[in-house]
Amino acid sequence: MDAILIEGLTKKFRPGWPGLPSVIALAGLSLSVRQGEIYGFLGPNGAGKTVTLKILLGLMRPTSGSAELLGKPAGDVEVRRRIGFLPESPYFYDYLTAEEFLSFYGHLAGLDRAHVGRRVTQLLDLVGLTEARTRQLREFSKGMLQRVGLAQALIHDPELVILDEPMSGLDPIGRKQVRDLILSLRDQGKTVFFSTHIIPDVEMICDRVGILVKGKLLATGRVDDLVSHGHTQSVEIVCEGIDAETVPDIRDASTRVLRQGRQCLVVLPGPKRLEEVLAAIRACGGTLVSVTPQKGSLEELFFKQQAGPTNEQAERKA
Amino acid sequence: MRQVVVIALNTFRENLRDKILYNLLFFALLLIGVPVLLADLTIMEHRKIVTDMGLAAINLVGVIIAVFVGIGLVSKEIERRTIYTIMARPIRRTQFILGKYLGLALTLLVNVSIMLPVYFGTLWVYRAPVHGALLQAIELIFIELLLVTALALFFSTFSTATLSATFTLALYVIGHLSTDLKGIAEKSESETVRMAMKAVYYLCPNLEVLNMKGQAAMGVSVAWSYQALASVYGLLYVALLISAACVVFQRRDF
Ligand SMILES: Nc1ncnc2c1ncn2[C@@H]1O[C@H](COP(=O)(O)OP(=O)(O)OP(=O)(O)O)[C@@H](O)[C@H]1O
Ligand SMILES: [Mg+2]
């Protein structure tokens, strides 16, 4: 059983005023998230990430299509006992203290009194808010709210954690803590599904990603696969003692040659002719300083996707 | 049921932490006690004013709280997006609505319970007669407060706070005039006016049914059968409004 299974989901918003066009937020989205994995849901602003998550949590009803969480249809009340959710830029009851706030959600999740107390202490510690536990949320900074929001999502020890842009509003240390937290959730066997438009976060921790553009999933798979298959990886060679520009073999095989003092930088479009170039360098009496394959980043892929899928990518989707 | 209690208690706590509530309560206590300052009156006049003013103050402040807290019960949760994390929990939408309603009802109950001893204390100071009729009137005031809260809650499930306030206050006024409206309807020449007035009369809650203040202030008790019937009438209206609120809320996207 998949942790999340979405099939042909569409969501159309009727216009707020007659005559205006309606908005199609989701246009037949299908995806699945396996149990125990960290799945990054990547997409530019307005792609439909938040709408998808709202449908999963039963906050919105889809126009058509279906979504299942842990084998139950989205909107099922009981299954939410096993799910934790952090909405985008969360707003909470600001008249509560951090402790009261977490207890409230603990009780709503159906935990008994003693259990709630224990979990509140644990989670305040986990998100680093133990000191602020008796302060009202109205005094909290944006990052502190994000942290207490995360704690709220985890108070009942859910199997499936759904987070809408969990890193937004956090400082670099906070981002790292959230990444570590997500990784530790996976170590405990939980499934994490989170949306973001920040690519390095995804590259660092996700098992799989899905790229959502204009309400459609344009690519999905392991980060490595998407990155290496999506486009060619270039290789950078640094050598000493020769003028690489003057060697025909090197010049032909490279896309760029740069001289910097005694060193030359040679950029190859791919690893295919690497051996050939290395041999040519040695043959001319040059010394090799370094060979660095340039791993393409998800970012390049992301921008390419937004520009419109190429045939190759469309095929892979199929 | 547990979910309803959790929401209700939290709503009650929210109300308790709202400073406006204390200002209103202070205002009410002032109104109840203030006739002290009115000079140049005979003792009898003084007693009558204390009795009338107190009942009016309990009623007025209750209605203000019911309307102005009530209109935010649901709409504020949606506008401030606090609803997202709540509805993502194992809680039904009807449970949420019920919890919000009961939370405010509890606040009103506590509020009336604080005003009541102050009122009777004031009466005692002035040696004004204390009747059971006053308690009867206050019970009906409380039913009215429950009804007004339900009205505000109902509007707040589908419109903004400002609109809800307008609707609720309009219905409150019509509710108190509805007997007059029926009178106008019967006298009117035009068939359409008659129909329209009748429709308004039958659709809007008749709040005058719950108003026994004048009678009580003169020490005239209400028949128990009337008291019971009027209360049931009010509570049925509450049930109707809350059910309607649930139906509307059930279908909403957030
Ligand atoms: N309640 C709504 N009514 C009308 N249109 C909406 C509503 N909610 C979302 N939309 C539209 O749906 C589309 C997708 O919005 P969504 O919030 O899911 O984007 P997102 O991927 O979360 O973007 P971001 O990265 O900015 O958070 C947008 O065009 C948005 O305007
Ligand atoms: Mg979003």
Side-chain angles (χ1 to χ4, degrees), chain A residues 44-51 53 88 164-165 195 197:
Chain A
N45 291 135
K49 304 184 293 293
T50 300
V51 170
L53 301 197
E88 183 176 32
D164 201 353
E165 310 210 6
S195 83
H197 45 235

Side-chain angles (χ1 to χ4, degrees), chain A residues 11 54 58-61 77 80 85 87 91-93 95-96 100 104-105 107-108 111 152 156, chain B residues 2-3 6 10 13-14 17 77 80-82 84-91 93 250 253-254:
Chain A
K11 178 71 186 178
K54 281 185 182 175
L59 298 170
M60 265 183 188
R61 287 184 182 73
V77 173
R80 292 193 217 134
F85 174 53
Y91 298 83
F92 302 123
Y93 292 138
Y95 52 88
L96 296 180
E100 289 168 341
F104 170 62
Y105 284 96
H107 290 301
L108 266 189
L111 305 183
Q152 162 277 134
H156 52 306
Chain B
R2 189 196 143 107
Q3 304 296 64
V6 174
N10 193 57
R13 180 160 57 182
E14 172 178 12
R17 292 193 183 168
E77 298 264 355
R80 295 197 184 165
R81 306 193 220 164
T82 44
Y84 295 172
T85 41
I86 311 270
M87 291 324 303
R89 299 280 159 182
I91 176 171
R93 293 188 177 190
Q250 199 77 40
D253 270 359
F254 303 120

Side-chain angles (χ1 to χ4, degrees), chain A residues 41-116:
Chain A
F41 196 35
L42 196 61
N45 291 135
K49 304 184 293 293
T50 300
V51 170
T52 309
L53 301 197
K54 281 185 182 175
I55 291 174
L56 287 177
L57 271 305
L59 298 170
M60 265 183 188
R61 287 184 182 73
T63 308
S64 66
S66 72
E68 277 182 11
L69 297 118
L70 304 170
K72 295 281 181 339
D76 182 276
V77 173
E78 285 310 311
V79 79
R80 292 193 217 134
R81 233 173 257 290
R82 297 151 64 198
I83 296 165
F85 174 53
L86 172 69
E88 183 176 32
S89 42
Y91 298 83
F92 302 123
Y93 292 138
D94 56 8
Y95 52 88
L96 296 180
T97 67
E99 238 168 19
E100 289 168 341
F101 171 79
L102 291 180
S103 311
F104 170 62
Y105 284 96
H107 290 301
L108 266 189
L111 305 183
D112 60 60
R113 194 169 286 276
H115 197 174
V116 168

Side-chain angles (χ1 to χ4, degrees), chain A residues 111-124:
Chain A
L111 305 183
D112 60 60
R113 194 169 286 276
H115 197 174
V116 168
R118 220 167 36 238
R119 287 294 291 168
V120 169
T121 315
Q122 277 172 6
L123 278 156
L124 283 172

Side-chain angles (χ1 to χ4, degrees), chain B:
Chain B
M1 194 56 213
R2 189 196 143 107
Q3 304 296 64
V4 176
V5 172
V6 174
I7 296 286
L9 288 181
N10 193 57
T11 306
F12 179 60
R13 180 160 57 182
E14 172 178 12
N15 295 337
L16 286 190
R17 292 193 183 168
D18 198 338
K19 298 215 174 62
I20 294 174
L21 200 76
Y22 296 95
N23 294 334
L24 280 171
L25 188 60
F26 179 71
F27 174 65
L29 298 182
L30 213 65
L31 278 181
I32 294 172
V34 92
V36 184
L37 306 173
L38 296 171
D40 290 345
L41 289 173
T42 67
I43 295 285
M44 289 313 283
E45 282 170 334
H46 233 140
R47 286 180 184 157
K48 170 132 178 42
I49 288 184
V50 171
T51 314
D52 285 345
M53 279 275 274
L55 282 179
I58 293 174
N59 198 341
L60 177 71
V61 169
V63 168
I64 293 177
I65 295 174
V67 174
F68 289 97
V69 180
I71 54 169
L73 277 181
V74 176
S75 61
K76 208 170 73 188
E77 298 264 355
I78 296 174
E79 270 160 40
R80 295 197 184 165
R81 306 193 220 164
T82 44
I83 190 98
Y84 295 172
T85 41
I86 311 270
M87 291 324 303
R89 299 280 159 182
I91 176 171
R92 286 170 207 289
R93 293 188 177 190
T94 43
Q95 291 174 321
F96 177 76
I97 293 284
L98 264 181
K100 292 305 281 185
Y101 180 78
L102 291 177
L104 181 50
L106 182 59
T107 306
L108 289 167
L109 184 65
V110 169
N111 203 57
V112 171
S113 316
I114 292 173
M115 290 192 278
L116 206 62
V118 175
Y119 178 50
F120 284 144
T122 313
L123 292 182
W124 183 77
V125 166
Y126 283 93
R127 305 274 182 276
V130 178
H131 313 284
L134 293 176
L135 274 179
Q136 287 187 319
I138 291 172
E139 191 266 341
L140 290 179
I141 287 176
F142 189 67
I143 299 284
E144 181 185 86
L145 298 184
L146 290 180
L147 212 165
V148 173
T149 306
L151 271 176
L153 172 82
F154 170 65
F155 288 123
S156 114
T157 51
F158 60 85
S159 66
T160 61
T162 333
L163 273 178
S164 306
T166 317
F167 291 146
T168 311
L169 287 174
L171 275 183
Y172 179 73
V173 172
I174 295 174
H176 275 290
L177 297 178
S178 76
T179 316
D180 300 344
L181 290 179
K182 202 181 174 204
I184 296 174
E186 273 153 13
K187 287 197 199 91
S188 172
E189 305 276 291
S190 144
E191 182 68 15
T192 20
V193 171
R194 256 204 313 270
M195 296 297 278
M197 290 293 179
K198 279 232 176 84
V200 171
Y201 176 76
Y202 286 113
L203 235 63
C204 295
N206 186 347
L207 296 177
E208 276 303 311
V209 166
L210 303 171
N211 182 7
M212 287 296 137
K213 293 196 289 287
Q215 190 176 341
M218 290 189 288
V220 182
S221 300
V222 182
W224 284 108
S225 55
Y226 178 87
Q227 179 92 12
L229 211 61
S231 304
V232 168
Y233 168 77
L235 293 178
L236 276 180
Y237 233 105
V238 168
L240 192 76
L241 284 166
I242 291 183
S243 313
C246 288
V247 170
V248 175
F249 192 62
Q250 199 77 40
R251 306 156 55 122
R252 277 203 70 153
D253 270 359
F254 303 120

Side-chain angles (χ1 to χ4, degrees), chain A residues 72-314:
Chain A
K72 295 281 181 339
D76 182 276
V77 173
E78 285 310 311
V79 79
R80 292 193 217 134
R81 233 173 257 290
R82 297 151 64 198
I83 296 165
F85 174 53
L86 172 69
E88 183 176 32
S89 42
Y91 298 83
F92 302 123
Y93 292 138
D94 56 8
Y95 52 88
L96 296 180
T97 67
E99 238 168 19
E100 289 168 341
F101 171 79
L102 291 180
S103 311
F104 170 62
Y105 284 96
H107 290 301
L108 266 189
L111 305 183
D112 60 60
R113 194 169 286 276
H115 197 174
V116 168
R118 220 167 36 238
R119 287 294 291 168
V120 169
T121 315
Q122 277 172 6
L123 278 156
L124 283 172
D125 183 50
L126 183 72
V127 297
L129 286 175
T130 305
E131 242 107 273
R133 69 183 187 281
T134 53
R135 285 173 60 190
Q136 284 190 321
L137 298 194
R138 71 174 83 237
E139 302 168 8
F140 274 31
S141 72
K142 195 173 169 209
M144 288 163 85
L145 282 177
Q146 192 76 18
R147 285 159 194 257
V148 84
L150 267 169
Q152 162 277 134
L154 302 176
I155 189 83
H156 52 306
D157 197 25
E159 283 164 54
L160 169 61
V161 182
I162 298 178
L163 312 167
D164 201 353
E165 310 210 6
M167 278 87 156
S168 78
L170 293 178
D171 56 24
I173 300 171
R175 307 178 87 83
K176 164 124 179 40
Q177 287 172 337
V178 172
R179 285 198 302 266
D180 291 347
L181 181 66
I182 292 178
L183 288 170
S184 81
L185 287 172
R186 181 182 57 187
D187 292 342
Q188 296 162 38
K190 322 263 186 221
T191 312
V192 183
F193 180 61
F194 74 96
S195 83
T196 182
H197 45 235
I198 301 164
I199 296 153
D201 290 339
V202 172
E203 282 184 314
M204 261 180 269
I205 58 173
C206 289
D207 298 309
R208 288 196 309 142
V209 299
I211 299 182
L212 185 75
V213 177
K214 294 191 183 129
K216 279 205 189 88
L217 200 66
L218 284 185
T220 182
R222 293 182 47 225
V223 179
D224 287 347
D225 294 345
L226 285 186
V227 165
S228 54
H229 293 173
H231 56 104
T232 39
Q233 289 176 298
S234 61
V235 181
E236 290 183 0
I237 304 167
V238 179
C239 57
E240 261 178 13
I242 54 162
D243 185 356
E245 196 113 38
T246 59
V247 184
D249 273 351
I250 300 180
R251 205 176 50 221
D252 293 348
S254 65
T255 48
R256 198 151 56 124
V257 179
L258 274 179
R259 263 196 92 92
Q260 283 174 336
R262 294 180 58 236
Q263 295 192 334
C264 273
L265 171 74
V266 179
V267 182
L268 306 186
K272 220 160 90 190
R273 296 177 71 182
L274 179 62
E275 283 309 322
E276 191 184 323
V277 172
L278 292 183
I281 292 171
R282 268 183 232 109
C284 310
T287 8
L288 193 64
V289 177
S290 67
V291 177
T292 326
Q294 293 294 299
K295 247 187 103 181
S297 76
L298 211 47
E299 189 152 9
E300 291 168 47
L301 181 69
F302 190 55
F303 282 115
K304 242 164 74 179
Q305 295 284 12
Q306 272 186 271
T310 61
N311 285 343
E312 183 198 0
Q313 284 152 354

